[in-house]
């Protein structure tokens, strides 16, 4: 993909600080890849700010809503994680941003006892720009009948579903939105803590 043929790719977290850091990175002429997408506002801003890629995490979003609702599972079209990624994809399409929507980090949708539940989110989002899919889930997908794997997302229909305005946050309104998004705050912290722990473990192995 020509959008990755730049001098350098920097990865940032999906929060206020990450987006601010992205501005500094772009000023150097480097490319920004936006990870840990568990909030809509930073990911939308990733499109308006010209980030090459946004990676929303449907699994952690679903986990948080399961915990809050005490539900064991959701139907695929009612999954908060799926709906959140679909919003991002539709937003980038409607306003013609080149930002790639590449979901990663998946969750059991209908419950651990339901066959195929581990790939429900992937199947529901089939057709987005790109995906990060771990090997065990790729194996699960390869075992499905070909008729079960069909394109669900496409450009014109999904762009038409976007009802959000093409907005630009001020730092103040951005911070206010951040403070009201409990799912985003909690899951972003969990993700950063996990990355930090694994980085420390890697350093121990290498030293």
């Amino acid at each position: 993909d020509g959008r990755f043929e730049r001098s350098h790719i920097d990865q940032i977290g999906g929060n206020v600080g990450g987006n601010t850091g992205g501005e500094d990175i772009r000023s150097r002429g480097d490319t920004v890849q936006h990870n840990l997408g568990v909030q809509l506002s930073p990911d939308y801003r990733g499109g308006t700010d010209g980030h090459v890629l946004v990676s929303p995490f449907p699994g952690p979003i679903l986990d948080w809503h399961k915990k809050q609702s005490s539900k064991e599972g959701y139907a695929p079209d009612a999954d908060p994680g799926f709906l959140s990624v679909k919003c991002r994809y539709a937003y980038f399409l409607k306003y013609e941003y080149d930002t790639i929507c590449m979901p990663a980090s998946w969750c059991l949708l209908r419950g651990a006892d339901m066959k195929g539940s581990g790939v429900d989110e992937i199947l529901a989002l089939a057709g987005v720009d790109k995906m990060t899919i771990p090997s065990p889930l790729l194996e699960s997908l390869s075992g499905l009948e070909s008729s079960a794997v069909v394109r669900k997302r496409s450009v014109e229909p999904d762009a038409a579903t976007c009802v959000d305005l093409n907005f630009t946050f001020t730092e103040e309104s951005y911070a206010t939105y951040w403070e009201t998004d409990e799912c985003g705050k909690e899951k972003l912290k969990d993700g950063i803590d996990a990355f930090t722990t694994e980085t420390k473990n890697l350093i121990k192995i290498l030293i």
Side-chain angles (χ1 to χ4, degrees):
D1 193 313
R3 285 170 284 183
F4 289 98
E5 295 173 3
R6 312 282 182 89
S7 59
H8 189 251
I9 296 177
D10 287 272
Q11 297 191 18
I12 63 171
N15 62 357
V16 178
N19 281 103
T20 302
E23 295 172 1
D24 296 334
I25 292 166
R26 289 192 308 280
S27 70
R28 303 198 304 263
D30 293 336
T31 301
V32 180
Q33 178 173 316
H34 183 120
N35 287 325
L36 282 173
V38 288
Q39 276 198 316
L40 275 176
S41 57
D43 288 1
Y44 279 4
R45 187 171 171 183
T48 61
D49 285 358
H51 297 180
V52 69
L53 181 150
V54 165
S55 183
F57 282 18
I61 294 170
L62 174 60
D63 275 339
W64 189 87
H65 283 276
K66 279 184 175 181
K67 180 180 176 182
Q68 298 301 311
S69 66
S70 299
K71 288 185 178 180
E72 289 295 321
Y74 286 82
D77 60 356
D79 165 22
F82 155 73
L83 293 172
S84 187
V85 176
K86 186 170 177 282
C87 282
R88 292 159 169 82
Y89 181 62
Y91 182 82
F92 296 153
L93 291 175
K94 180 174 181 177
Y95 297 111
E96 299 182 343
Y97 294 120
D98 289 334
T99 301
I100 295 166
C101 181
M102 188 177 79
S105 187
W106 312 95
C107 180
L108 291 171
L109 185 51
R110 292 169 291 149
D113 58 338
M114 299 291 289
K115 184 178 180 181
S117 182
V119 296
D120 279 344
E121 289 184 322
I122 295 170
L123 293 174
L125 289 165
V128 298
D129 299 321
K130 297 179 184 291
M131 292 186 182
T132 299
I133 305 175
S135 296
L137 294 184
L138 285 174
E139 292 177 7
S140 296
L141 289 168
S142 68
L144 297 176
E145 295 290 333
S146 60
S147 59
V149 185
V150 297
R151 182 173 186 140
K152 298 289 184 66
R153 312 270 58 87
S154 55
V155 175
E156 291 185 5
D158 277 302
T161 66
C162 178
V163 296
D164 292 322
L165 297 175
N166 188 16
F167 52 82
T168 301
F169 280 106
T170 65
E171 287 302 319
E172 182 178 285
S173 63
Y174 196 42
T176 299
Y177 185 95
W178 166 259
E179 287 302 322
T180 62
D181 187 346
E182 295 301 324
C183 172
K185 287 194 295 182
E186 181 178 325
K187 286 304 177 180
L188 183 63
K189 181 180 183 303
D190 289 348
I192 291 174
D193 287 347
F195 275 123
T196 300
T197 298
E198 291 305 313
T199 300
K200 290 178 179 178
N201 291 337
L202 179 60
I203 290 173
K204 289 178 183 178
I205 294 172
L206 294 176
I207 293 179

